[in-house]
Amino acid sequence: MRALKFLLRKEFIQIFRNKLILRAILVVPVVQLIVLPLAVNYEMRNINLSVVDLDRSEYSRRLINKITSTGYFRLTDFSESYQKALNVVEQDKADIIITIPQGFEHELVRENKSKIMIEANAISGQTAGLAVAYSNSIIRDFNNDIRLEWIQQPRMNAQPVIEIVSSNWFNPKMNYKYFFVPGILALLVTIVGFLLASLNIVKEKEAGTIEQLNVTPIKKHQFILGKLIPFWILGLVILSIGFVVSYIVYGIIPVGGYLLIYLFAAIYLIALLGFGLLTSTFAETQQQAMFISYFCMMIFILLGGLFAPIENMPDWAQALTYINPVSYFIEVMRMIVLKGSGFFDLLKHFGIIVLFAISFNALAIWNYKKTT
Amino acid sequence: MSAVEIKNIVKKYSTKKTSVTAVDNISFTAERGELFGLIGPDGAGKSTIFRILTTLLLPDSGSAALLDYDIIKDWKEIRNIVGYMPGRFSLYKDLTVEENLEFFATVFNTTIKENYELIEEIYKQLEPFKNRRAGKLSGGMKQKLALCCALIHKPKILFLDEPTTGVDPVSRKEFWEILKRLKTRGISILVSTPYMDEAKLCDRIALIQKGKILEINPPKNIISKFERNLFAVHSPEMFKLLMDLRSYSKTETCFAFGENHHLVVNDSSISAVDVKKYLESAGHPKATVSNIEPTIEDCFMHLMSK
C-alpha cells in the first residue's frame, strides 16, 4: 500500500512538473469546447447560387426573389447562358445552378405546369444535398403561393389533405449545440485519458526506468494501478471542467443529473485506460504509441456517432460501432444530458461498458505479462 | 555458497532472418565479497549476462543462482537482494535527486534514513544538488545518484553495467574507489566495463568476447600467464611499420596501441635488437624498439586473436 501511495505521488509530481502537458490538459479542452461547437454548424447558410433566367418574366423574377430572400442562398452569379453558369461552378464560385427555361411563365399560365432545372455541385455532398433540399422546399412554397392566387379555395378541401406538424422532442428548438457539446466533451475525456495513459507507460520503457522498477520487489498490479489511477482522476477532472464550461457558455445542465454521468464515466475511463495500457504493451517508443493511438482514435471518433449519425452508416460500419466504447459514451452523454435517462434506461450501456473494462484490462495485463 | 554461480547459460536473440548468440554457454562463479569484473568490447554479451542475473531476461538454457537463490524459481527473493545499475541512465529525469532516492527507497520498502550510512559518503557529494532534477546533473553525478539508488536497500550483490562509460577520468577514478570501499562492507560486486585499464582494479576478471569467456583469473595472473616477449615499436611511418611488422617472420601478433605498435613475437630468444635489425633492413632507420610489460589489453588482444 505504501509503495502504491508513493507510485501515485511520483506520478502526480511528474504530471504537475510538466508545465506544457499540464496546460494542454487543462486549457486545450476548454478552448475546444468553446470553439468547436460554435464553428461546426450543421445548418447551411450562404450557399452560392447561380441563376440562369432564360425567361426573364414576372414569375421568374418572383421565384428568384423568393429564393434569395430566405437567407440560405447568396446570388453570386446571374448568367445569360447555361454554359457560362457551368463555368462559374467550375471556378468554384457557385454551388448550385437554377435554370429557368424560356417560356416558363407562359407554360405555367397556359398549361398549369412548367419545369425548372436545379443542379448542385456534388463535390461537397453535404452542401449539394442541403442546397437541393432547401431549393425544393422553396419552390414548393412558391408553387403554393401562385396556386392560392389563382384558385379561389373552396371552404373545404376537395381532397383530404393531411397536414404535418412536427415537434422536436428533448431539443425543441433543434439547438444543435445541445447535442454537439456533450459529444465533444465525451471525445475530450477520451482523447486525454487514452493518449496520456498509453504514452506515459511507454515513456517509462523509453527512459529505461521500467527496467529499474522491474528489478525491485514492486508488484505488477501496483505498477499498473499506479499508472491508471492518476489518469482516471485526470479524466474525471476534465469532465468536470467540461461541465463547468458547458454550463457557463451554453447553459447546459444535464436533465438526468450529474451523478449518473460520473458513474458511467468512471467505468468508461477504466475501460479506456485499459485500452491505453494494451496499446502501451505493444509499443516500444512514444512515437509508436502515438501512431497506434492516433489511428485507433480516428476510427473510434469517426465511427462514434458524433460527426455522422450511426443510423446512416452501412451495416458493416454499424456493426463496428458495437465494439466502439466511444460510441456508447457519446450516446449515454446525450441520453442523460438531453433526455434525462435514468439508470434503468442505460442498463444495457452500463453492462457493455463494464464488459469492455474487464476485457480490455484483462487483455492488457495478459499481454503485459507476456512481453516482460 | 557463492555470490554468483552461473552454469552453461545460453541466450540467443533471434529475428526472422538471423540469430545472434549473445551469451554462448557461459559458466563462472563469483565469490562473496569479491569485486568481479566482466571485461569485453561492446556487444560481447556483458549486459545480457547482467539482465539474466537480475531476472530481467530468461536464459534459453542453463542455470544460475545468486546466494543459492535460483534466478528463475526464486526471482522474488532475488529482487530484494540485488542492486542493479543499468548501463544507460534510467532514473526519473523529471524528479529531483532527493525524490528519486526517496522513491526507490520506498519501492524497496525501506527509507533513506535506515540505510543512510551505506550511501552517506556518495550522497554527501550529491547533497548540494538534492533539489536539482536528475536530468540536469552532470554525467558523473548521474552515475553517483544511480549508484545511491541501487544501494539504498542494502543489497547483498551489486550489479553495475558499464558504470563508468561516458564519465570523465577523475570521476571514474573516484567511482572505483567507492566500489572498493563498498566491497569492504561485504557487498559482492559484479561490474562490467569496456575499459581495460579498469580491469586491474578488480579482484578477478572474466575476459569476454562474442558471448564466450576467454579467460577468468585475477588480473595479475592473466598478465603473468602472458609469457611472451612484448615490444613497443615506434617509427615516423607508423602505417608502413605496422605492415612491415606483420610480415615479419617472427611476429605472432602486432596491433596499434596509441602512439606505439605492440609486437608479440613467437620466439622467446628474439630481443629488441633483433627486431630493430629487421626494421632497419625493411626501411625504418629511425625505428625505436623497447621491451615492455604486458597490460590486460595486450592479453586481451592476444587471446582474441587466438
Side-chain angles (χ1 to χ4, degrees):
Chain A
M1 237 12 238
R2 205 167 88 92
L4 180 62
K5 207 183 92 195
F6 257 78
L7 276 170
L8 291 177
R9 215 190 81 162
K10 178 216 105 194
E11 216 57 61
F12 277 112
I13 290 177
Q14 287 184 306
I15 292 170
F16 282 109
R17 210 159 268 176
N18 196 336
K19 291 277 182 288
L20 185 74
I21 292 287
L22 192 67
R23 267 179 224 142
I25 292 172
L26 300 180
V27 178
V28 173
V30 173
V31 173
Q32 289 193 352
L33 211 50
I34 294 172
V35 172
L36 281 181
L38 293 177
V40 180
N41 192 329
Y42 281 131
E43 283 178 70
M44 285 296 296
R45 293 209 161 253
N46 301 328
I47 300 166
N48 291 327
L49 169 71
S50 168
V51 171
V52 185
D53 184 1
L54 300 173
D55 196 41
R56 293 181 187 272
S57 58
E58 168 74 24
Y59 277 122
S60 70
R61 210 157 36 243
R62 268 180 63 188
L63 176 59
I64 294 162
N65 266 336
K66 192 167 175 67
I67 292 173
T68 50
S69 63
T70 54
Y72 293 117
F73 293 94
R74 187 164 60 190
L75 190 62
T76 50
D77 175 65
F78 202 87
S79 300
E80 61 262 36
S81 79
Y82 175 69
Q83 200 52 47
K84 280 191 179 156
L86 209 55
N87 282 339
V88 175
V89 172
E90 280 165 1
Q91 289 162 22
D92 218 12
K93 285 179 187 154
D95 302 313
I96 184 166
I97 308 174
I98 294 180
T99 312
I100 303 170
Q102 209 173 358
F104 169 72
E105 189 186 57
H106 188 75
E107 281 178 24
L108 198 60
V109 175
R110 280 286 167 82
E111 293 168 33
N112 262 341
K113 66 176 185 188
S114 191
K115 282 175 182 161
I116 286 175
M117 181 161 70
I118 303 170
E119 283 155 299
N121 177 5
I123 286 197
S124 160
Q126 205 179 4
T127 313
L130 280 170
V132 170
Y134 288 160
S135 44
N136 266 336
S137 79
I138 295 167
I139 291 164
R140 205 180 312 125
D141 246 26
F142 175 74
N143 204 6
N144 277 339
D145 286 353
I146 45 177
R147 273 177 63 199
L148 275 177
E149 283 171 29
W150 290 354
I151 312 162
Q152 195 62 47
Q153 289 263 347
R155 221 176 165 66
M156 302 283 279
N157 274 325
Q159 288 151 343
V161 170
I162 298 173
E163 193 189 3
I164 301 165
V165 180
S166 64
S167 125
N168 301 304
W169 274 21
F170 309 123
N171 191 358
K173 287 179 187 159
M174 271 302 265
N175 187 341
Y176 69 94
K177 285 183 189 104
Y178 286 169
F179 130 104
F180 205 62
V181 170
I184 291 273
L185 190 51
L187 284 194
L188 287 175
V189 172
T190 306
I191 292 172
V192 172
F194 176 66
L195 212 58
L196 285 180
S198 66
L199 285 185
N200 187 283
I201 298 169
V202 179
K203 189 177 147 202
E204 298 249 1
K205 276 194 193 175
E206 240 179 20
T209 41
I210 203 162
E211 291 231 310
Q212 195 76 270
L213 285 179
N214 278 347
V215 293
T216 68
I218 208 167
K219 295 195 179 56
K220 285 259 145 76
H221 74 264
Q222 287 174 328
F223 176 75
I224 290 173
L225 280 177
K227 285 292 171 196
L228 295 191
I229 292 172
F231 296 105
W232 184 79
I233 294 174
L234 216 59
L236 292 178
V237 168
I238 288 167
L239 187 66
S240 311
I241 295 175
F243 275 128
V244 171
V245 172
S246 37
Y247 173 68
I248 293 173
V249 180
Y250 305 105
I252 295 175
I253 299 171
V255 184
Y258 287 103
L259 188 70
L260 201 56
I261 292 183
Y262 275 87
L263 185 65
F264 190 85
I267 305 172
Y268 172 75
L269 274 168
I270 296 174
L272 193 71
L273 294 174
F275 193 68
L277 188 68
L278 186 63
T279 315
S280 71
T281 58
F282 287 115
E284 286 303 319
T285 63
Q286 292 193 60
Q287 198 181 25
Q288 289 173 354
M290 194 78 185
F291 253 122
I292 299 174
S293 327
Y294 193 78
F295 283 121
C296 292
M297 278 293 111
M298 254 318 237
I299 294 169
F300 279 180
I301 290 171
L302 290 181
L303 291 182
L306 179 62
F307 298 107
I310 291 173
E311 292 76 14
N312 289 2
M313 293 175 190
D315 288 343
W316 59 267
Q318 287 199 23
L320 276 181
T321 62
Y322 290 130
I323 51 165
N324 180 358
V326 179
S327 69
Y328 290 100
F329 191 37
I330 293 177
E331 202 178 324
V332 166
M333 281 287 259
R334 284 179 180 160
M335 281 172 83
I336 299 175
V337 172
L338 292 174
K339 199 172 166 185
S341 299
F343 179 73
F344 290 101
D345 303 315
L346 298 168
L347 219 49
K348 185 192 99 186
H349 296 81
F350 269 101
I352 289 169
I353 211 73
V354 166
L355 230 80
F356 269 125
I358 294 170
S359 48
F360 278 151
N361 281 290
L363 260 176
I365 291 168
W366 176 70
N367 201 40
Y368 186 80
K369 276 192 178 140
K370 213 181 67 179
T371 50
T372 54
Chain B
M1 184 168 63
S2 312
V4 180
E5 200 174 347
I6 303 187
K7 276 190 201 132
N8 307 328
I9 290 274
V10 176
K11 178 76 197 176
K12 288 191 177 104
Y13 293 114
S14 37
T15 56
K16 267 179 194 159
K17 283 174 189 161
T18 55
S19 162
V20 181
T21 309
V23 178
D24 193 355
N25 203 13
I26 275 186
S27 308
F28 68 82
T29 315
E31 297 308 324
R32 289 168 74 185
E34 196 174 27
L35 178 52
F36 191 93
L38 293 177
I39 318 290
D42 295 337
K46 303 184 298 281
S47 299
T48 306
I49 295 173
F50 275 29
R51 288 165 54 86
I52 288 171
L53 289 177
T54 49
T55 71
L56 288 172
L57 264 185
L58 288 174
D60 294 339
S61 65
S63 64
L66 308 183
L67 296 171
D68 285 352
Y69 289 116
D70 187 81
I71 52 157
I72 298 162
K73 245 184 16 239
D74 309 317
W75 57 272
K76 273 188 185 158
E77 285 80 5
I78 284 186
R79 288 181 182 185
N80 276 313
I81 58 164
V82 302
Y84 172 51
M85 184 176 152
R88 189 159 70 102
F89 180 71
S90 40
L91 299 176
Y92 292 100
K93 290 187 180 122
D94 42 3
L95 295 185
T96 64
V97 169
E98 204 178 15
E99 283 164 351
N100 263 302
L101 196 58
E102 200 173 273
F103 176 73
F104 282 101
T106 317
V107 161
F108 279 105
N109 219 351
T110 176
T111 55
I112 298 180
K113 238 189 216 162
E114 210 169 300
N115 295 318
Y116 187 71
E117 45 96 31
L118 188 64
I119 59 161
E120 186 176 12
E121 193 187 341
I122 319 164
Y123 192 63
K124 257 192 208 152
Q125 302 176 42
L126 284 168
E127 205 125 45
F129 314 107
K130 71 176 184 189
N131 289 322
R132 192 180 284 189
R133 295 193 193 170
K136 301 238 160 90
L137 291 173
S138 69
M141 285 293 173
K142 274 183 186 162
Q143 294 307 83
K144 279 172 197 158
L145 175 60
L147 184 61
C148 281
C149 289
L151 280 172
I152 193 64
H153 60 292
K154 225 174 184 177
K156 296 200 168 73
I157 309 173
L158 192 56
F159 289 93
L160 306 169
D161 192 2
E162 302 201 5
T164 53
T165 300
V167 174
D168 68 87
V170 179
S171 300
R172 265 170 65 187
K173 203 162 164 256
E174 261 179 33
F175 200 88
W176 277 91
E177 269 157 26
I178 293 170
L179 293 190
K180 269 188 192 166
R181 281 195 291 268
L182 284 175
K183 204 185 76 175
T184 61
R185 294 184 170 247
I187 297 176
S188 316
I189 303 173
L190 227 75
V191 61
S192 78
T193 176
Y195 300 123
M196 303 289 166
D197 55 323
E198 288 179 346
K200 62 175 183 288
L201 303 168
C202 302
D203 296 331
R204 279 199 307 150
I205 53 175
L207 297 179
I208 302 184
Q209 158 81 357
K210 288 183 185 154
K212 286 199 169 84
I213 292 188
L214 302 174
E215 179 151 15
I216 305 176
N217 251 323
K220 264 185 282 172
N221 296 14
I222 288 183
I223 290 169
S224 65
K225 264 177 73 182
F226 192 67
E227 289 175 340
R228 276 176 176 76
N229 286 346
L230 182 74
F231 303 105
V233 189
H234 184 81
S235 141
E237 293 172 86
M238 290 304 274
F239 183 68
K240 186 171 180 295
L241 182 69
L242 186 66
M243 295 294 117
D244 287 339
L245 282 171
R246 280 184 177 168
S247 58
Y248 181 37
S249 62
K250 308 283 185 203
T251 298
E252 192 169 336
T253 56
C254 181
F255 294 104
F257 256 74
E259 53 180 7
N260 293 319
H261 292 326
H262 283 190
L263 172 72
V264 181
V265 290
N266 53 15
D267 186 341
S268 54
S269 63
I270 297 287
S271 69
V273 181
D274 299 323
V275 178
K276 186 152 170 64
K277 259 185 209 157
Y278 162 74
L279 286 177
E280 272 164 9
S281 69
H284 296 278
K286 285 183 182 162
T288 56
V289 182
S290 51
N291 220 324
I292 52 164
E293 280 299 309
T295 62
I296 293 286
E297 196 165 357
D298 291 307
C299 301
F300 188 84
M301 295 299 265
H302 188 71
L303 286 166
M304 228 174 75
S305 62
K306 261 187 186 172

